[in-house]
């Protein structure tokens, strides 16, 4: 629960509180009825989790046989054990920026190669997608002499830093290419807004490949290259972008804030940050359709991928992969296994016709209550 102002001044020490993260509410000195209600909710959630854990070895396939890949978002090598515990189908997003934020100097090629190789080796042939550093916005490294920006989310970040400092990107790409010697891996570039960005990024990959070939290094030059769709401009021209890449992954956290002009870290504009706004849904559909038109797969690694109301809608649009925090995998798989692709397509088609965020959300909730068992509804 975030954005609760004056909490420490309004709530005295030793006061009992109840926190409900699903509702986004804090109950101060809850009465016996509220305590009983929350305790019952916890019990239901734990019962449902037990059911979902028992189903972990079953594939994420709809009731009529349509399969969705369920992968993990991670940022530390040690999290591979957690994703394996939850039977993840590889890594849909490995965040590299923590390496750049951890010290006062940029991580050297050898360190990066060691870390990426360790992660790839532990995944034992499963998909591993490594995202190039997404520094900027609310994440900055001491290694950069950065300047304050009026709106850092719309400023100098991610691929834009790589364009200005290509040697940093080159080092990262070389480390990834060398890591491919131990298993399959893909490269993903964030914050892409144009074909020009993609051409630059791929030129760095080509340069790194040439350097390694000249050194007779052991590596696989045929590494898939993809991008994140998180800038509306990229989603709008996804049909023109798709031929330049091997896959696209939708980052809804940024895509929503840029589409709605609502900083996701600013509680004062939180009511304008709308997951189910028709414009946002249109950009998602446009991206998925464009990818499939050009024969590439489209995933989602943003927060929407784990919103249980959204999952039937995303299945209906034809999403190929959902990448979420490892602990959310049992719930996501449970939803996939409890809907049909036929119903999901109908849900997606009807949702796309609704004019407001509120109407879409109400409709998706209604369909979830109709299609999903009580165990799943405890999480909605």
């Amino acid at each position: 629960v975030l954005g609760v102002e004056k909490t420490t001044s309004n709530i005295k020490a030793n006061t009992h509180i109840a926190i409900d993260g699903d509702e986004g509410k804090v109950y101060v000195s809850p009465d016996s009825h509220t305590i009983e209600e929350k305790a019952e909710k916890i019990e239901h959630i734990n019962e449902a989790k037990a059911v979902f854990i028992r189903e972990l070895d079953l594939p994420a396939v709809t009731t009529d046989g349509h399969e969705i890949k369920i992968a993990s978002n991670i940022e530390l090598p040690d999290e591979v054990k957690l994703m394996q515990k939850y039977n993840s189908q590889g890594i849909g997003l490995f965040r590299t920026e923590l390496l750049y934020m951890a010290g006062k100097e940029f991580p050297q090629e050898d360190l990066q190669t060691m870390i990426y190789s360790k992660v790839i080796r532990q995944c034992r042939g499963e998909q591993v997608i490594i995202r190039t550093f997404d520094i900027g916005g609310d994440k900055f490294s001491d290694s950069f002499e950065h300047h304050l920006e009026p709106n850092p989310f719309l400023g100098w970040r991610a691929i834009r830093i790589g364009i200005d400092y290509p040697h940093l990107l080159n080092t990262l790409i070389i480390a990834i290419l060398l890591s491919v010697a131990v298993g399959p891996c893909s490269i993903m570039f964030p914050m892409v807004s144009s074909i020009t960005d993609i051409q630059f990024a791929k030129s760095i990959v080509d340069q790194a490949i040439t350097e390694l070939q000249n050194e007779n290094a052991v590596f696989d030059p045929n590494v898939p290259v993809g991008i994140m769709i998180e800038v509306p401009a990229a989603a709008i021209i996804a049909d023109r972008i798709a031929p330049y890449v091997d896959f696209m992954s939708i980052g809804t956290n940024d895509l929503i804030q840029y589409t709605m002009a609502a900083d996701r870290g600013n509680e004062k504009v939180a009511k304008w940050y709308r997951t189910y706004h028709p414009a946002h849904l249109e950009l998602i559909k446009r991206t998925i359709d464009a990818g499939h038109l050009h024969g590439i797969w489209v995933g989602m690694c943003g927060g929407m991928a784990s919103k249980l109301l959204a999952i039937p809608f995303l299945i209906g649009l034809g999403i190929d992969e959902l990448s979420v925090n490892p602990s959310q995998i049992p719930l996501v798989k449970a939803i996939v296994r409890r809907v049909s692709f036929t119903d999901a397509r109908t849900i997606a088609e009807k949702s796309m016709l609704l004019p407001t965020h509120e109407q879409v959300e109400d409709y998706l909730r209604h369909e979830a209550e109709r299609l999903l068992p009580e165990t799943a509804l405890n999480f909605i």
Side-chain angles (χ1 to χ4, degrees):
V1 180
L2 303 175
V4 183
E5 297 181 356
K6 300 180 180 178
T7 306
T8 53
S9 59
N10 290 339
I11 303 176
K12 295 180 180 179
N14 300 318
T15 300
H16 285 103
I17 63 171
I19 301 173
D20 190 327
D22 292 329
E23 295 180 356
K25 293 181 179 179
V26 176
Y27 296 84
V28 181
S29 300
D31 58 25
S32 58
H33 174 74
T34 300
I35 293 173
E36 184 179 344
E37 183 182 74
K38 299 307 173 185
E40 187 176 334
K41 183 175 182 178
I42 290 170
E43 184 178 350
H44 287 163
I45 287 173
N46 288 336
E47 289 173 357
K49 281 182 177 178
V51 172
F52 300 156
I53 292 294
R54 288 198 296 269
E55 297 177 358
L56 263 180
D57 291 337
L58 300 175
V61 178
T62 62
T63 57
D64 49 358
H66 184 79
E67 186 169 4
I68 306 292
K69 177 177 279 190
I70 311 298
S72 292
N73 300 335
I74 71 168
E75 58 188 355
L76 295 169
D78 289 346
E79 291 179 285
V80 173
K81 295 177 183 177
L82 182 63
M83 55 172 264
Q84 289 172 337
K85 171 185 174 183
Y86 290 115
N87 209 10
S88 174
Q89 293 177 278
I91 299 170
L93 169 63
F94 180 74
R95 303 178 179 97
T96 59
E97 50 270 13
L98 195 64
L99 289 173
Y100 289 78
M101 298 168 64
K104 293 187 177 297
E105 296 183 0
F106 298 120
Q108 298 300 307
E109 177 189 309
D110 290 348
L111 173 62
Q112 294 193 59
T113 302
M114 180 187 71
I115 291 173
Y116 305 150
S117 296
K118 178 182 179 181
V119 170
I120 294 168
R121 190 180 292 110
Q122 287 180 314
C123 286
R124 302 167 189 165
E126 290 276 13
Q127 160 189 279
V128 176
I129 298 176
I130 299 178
R131 183 179 70 183
T132 61
F133 53 77
D134 189 13
I135 298 170
D138 58 350
K139 299 176 295 224
F140 251 107
S141 165
D142 289 339
S143 306
F144 285 103
E145 291 184 8
H146 61 278
H147 61 281
L148 295 175
E149 297 182 89
N151 192 329
F153 279 109
L154 294 176
W156 192 59
R157 58 175 296 201
I159 190 66
R160 298 173 180 181
I161 294 177
I163 289 173
D164 287 345
Y165 288 87
H167 65 284
L168 296 179
L169 207 49
N170 178 265
T171 299
L172 191 156
I173 298 301
I174 286 177
I176 294 175
L177 291 172
L178 289 172
S179 303
V180 176
V182 303
C185 176
S186 301
I187 301 169
M188 182 162 66
F189 292 97
M191 194 68 179
V192 166
S193 59
S194 67
I195 291 172
T196 303
D197 287 346
I198 298 171
Q199 290 172 327
F200 166 81
K202 295 184 77 172
S203 74
I204 297 293
V205 176
D206 291 340
Q207 177 187 334
I209 289 172
T210 300
E211 288 180 28
L212 291 175
Q213 287 173 334
N214 291 339
E215 296 171 5
N216 294 317
V218 177
F219 75 105
D220 183 354
N222 301 309
V223 176
V225 175
I227 61 168
M228 288 190 69
I229 298 290
E230 50 193 342
V231 178
I236 290 169
I237 60 167
D239 59 331
R240 280 165 274 184
I241 282 177
Y244 289 82
V245 295
D246 298 306
F247 64 92
M248 297 186 289
S249 186
I250 303 168
T252 54
N253 300 351
D254 276 335
L255 186 60
I256 295 169
Q257 76 167 347
Y258 293 142
T259 302
M260 301 306 301
D263 184 338
R264 58 191 173 100
N266 183 349
E267 67 269 15
K268 293 197 178 296
V269 295
K271 62 184 176 184
W272 284 280
Y273 185 90
R274 294 301 198 189
T275 299
Y276 305 111
H277 189 284
H280 179 232
L281 303 187
E282 183 63 40
L283 294 177
I284 293 171
K285 182 179 187 301
R286 184 185 288 260
T287 301
I288 296 171
D289 290 348
H292 292 170
L293 178 65
H294 292 279
I296 66 172
W297 65 268
V298 180
M300 178 177 288
C301 57
M304 187 178 182
S306 59
K307 286 185 178 292
L308 303 189
L309 287 184
I311 291 170
F313 167 79
L314 295 171
I315 294 171
L317 287 186
I319 199 78
D320 299 296
E321 177 227 48
L322 296 170
S323 189
V324 301
N325 292 334
S327 61
Q328 295 170 321
I329 289 174
L331 308 186
V332 175
K333 288 184 73 172
I335 301 302
V336 173
R337 291 179 48 77
R338 285 162 171 76
V339 299
S340 72
F341 187 50
T342 301
D343 282 337
R345 280 188 297 185
T346 300
I347 289 170
E349 289 169 1
K350 290 185 177 180
S351 297
M352 294 303 301
L353 297 174
L354 297 173
T356 69
H357 162 93
E358 291 78 11
Q359 286 174 288
V360 174
E361 187 172 37
D362 287 346
Y363 171 66
L364 293 179
R365 189 176 300 278
H366 175 268
E367 289 302 295
E369 291 171 351
R370 181 176 69 86
L371 294 172
L372 302 175
E374 182 182 352
T375 50
L377 288 175
N378 285 312
F379 298 89
I380 294 176

